[in-house]
Amino acid sequence: MANWKVLLKNVLLADGCVDDSEVKIIRKELLADGVVAVDELEFLADLRRRAKQVTPAFDKFFFEALKSNILADGSIDAGETRTIKKILLADGKID
């Protein structure tokens, strides 16, 4: 069976860019249940890291998803701090 996350990343990144129409689709599907799960957040982070270019709409959605996931319970614990560092420092820089 194919790994749908790998397949989807390859399709989305075929042109090297995540554009606004793709962001609409990603947003709709990831927010279908009203929450962004950790694995979905990691998917977005990897997509952002691998893309040659993302639109401002993708960055906006990415950081909204990060905030929503991390602050779901209203506070940031040690594990969530590690998640933030892992995601934001994945490429060794903050942009």
Side-chain angles (χ1 to χ4, degrees), residues 3 21 24 34 36 39 43 45 47-52 56 58 61 63-69 88-89:
N3 180 329
S21 62
K24 287 179 186 177
V36 178
D39 65 326
F43 171 82
L47 188 60
R48 185 173 187 260
R49 187 172 36 256
R50 292 182 53 206
K52 293 177 186 165
F58 181 84
F61 176 61
F63 286 108
E64 286 172 358
L66 178 63
K67 178 181 174 184
S68 171
N69 179 276
L88 295 182
L89 296 173

Side-chain angles (χ1 to χ4, degrees), residues 39-91:
D39 65 326
E40 293 169 331
L41 186 58
E42 290 171 352
F43 171 82
L44 289 173
D46 190 45
L47 188 60
R48 185 173 187 260
R49 187 172 36 256
R50 292 182 53 206
K52 293 177 186 165
Q53 180 181 3
V54 296
T55 63
F58 181 84
D59 273 339
K60 183 177 187 231
F61 176 61
F62 173 75
F63 286 108
E64 286 172 358
L66 178 63
K67 178 181 174 184
S68 171
N69 179 276
I70 296 297
L71 293 176
D73 64 356
S75 63
I76 301 173
D77 63 27
E80 291 164 334
T81 300
R82 286 188 295 277
T83 299
I84 292 169
K85 285 181 181 180
K86 177 183 169 189
I87 289 172
L88 295 182
L89 296 173
D91 60 359

